[in-house]
Amino acid sequence: MKQHHHTTAEQAEPTLSQIGTWPVSLFQLHARLAPHFARSEPRRHALLYLQAVISEIPRKNGWQIAEHAKQARPYGMQRLLSRAVWDEEGVRDELRTFLWQTLCPPPLPGETVSPAAPFPVLVIDESGFPKRGHHSAGVQPQYCGATGRVENCQVGVFLYDKWSRNMMIQIVGTIGRSS
């Protein structure tokens, strides 16, 4: 019988101690993003939104995100994404800096940097998902890569860390303002 030969390394699972640091890291990230929000309500909703996006709720629409945030209605989250005043470019720049610092931390004192050390490679992938209705955020007639034609779809943007070959972060493409 032929042996299976895998071309990718075993998937690394996070340890319990790493998982335990995630909530603190999210609060630290939120603290870095907070100055880019004009008012306290959108600032608070931004943290609740981030917590919901990375949670395990099966559908990440306005109602489920509001329910996860223990809010009766989705209007606060919808207002954050559509009309709230916040510095989108500032948030983008801060996230870029945060990712760079996370993926390429400075060497510890006394540590030598290997010139042949691998560097992280991030790949951004935009994918369209066919949708039947108009009720999800960002659904409109647009080119859908999954079907190869223009139709009602929603676009998702994914960020992959190609060094470890694991999906690293999922960013919903409809986070930005819809036109």
Side-chain angles (χ1 to χ4, degrees), residues 9-76:
E10 291 290 322
Q11 183 172 348
E13 296 291 329
T15 65
L16 287 176
S17 62
Q18 288 172 326
I19 293 171
T21 65
W22 291 352
V24 173
S25 296
L26 183 63
F27 283 116
Q28 290 171 346
L29 172 61
H30 180 256
R32 290 177 69 162
L33 299 177
H36 300 287
F37 292 88
R39 296 182 55 229
S40 62
E41 181 186 58
R43 190 177 314 127
R44 188 173 56 254
H45 280 109
L47 176 61
L48 295 172
Y49 184 83
L50 289 172
Q51 289 171 331
V53 166
I54 64 171
S55 75
E56 293 187 12
I57 56 176
R59 296 191 63 203
K60 293 177 173 69
N61 61 36
W63 283 101
Q64 273 75 26
I65 289 173
E67 186 176 297
H68 183 270
K70 300 187 179 6
Q71 296 182 346
R73 301 197 182 332
Y75 306 133

Side-chain angles (χ1 to χ4, degrees), residues 136-157:
S136 297
V139 172
Q140 60 189 4
Q142 54 192 326
Y143 178 77
C144 182
T147 61
R149 61 180 196 220
V150 174
E151 63 179 296
N152 268 357
C153 74
Q154 184 178 38
V155 176
V157 179

Side-chain angles (χ1 to χ4, degrees), residues 84-151:
V85 176
W86 53 289
D87 179 11
E88 295 170 4
E89 284 94 19
V91 169
R92 180 205 56 214
D93 294 344
E94 193 64 47
L95 285 173
R96 183 179 0 182
T97 302
F98 173 77
L99 279 173
W100 179 254
Q101 290 170 347
T102 301
L103 295 172
C104 300
L108 297 172
E111 184 179 57
T112 58
V113 178
S114 170
F119 58 92
V121 177
L122 299 178
V123 176
I124 297 176
D125 175 39
E126 178 182 272
S127 298
F129 306 94
K131 293 289 200 169
R132 291 201 174 132
H134 296 281
H135 300 290
S136 297
V139 172
Q140 60 189 4
Q142 54 192 326
Y143 178 77
C144 182
T147 61
R149 61 180 196 220
V150 174
E151 63 179 296

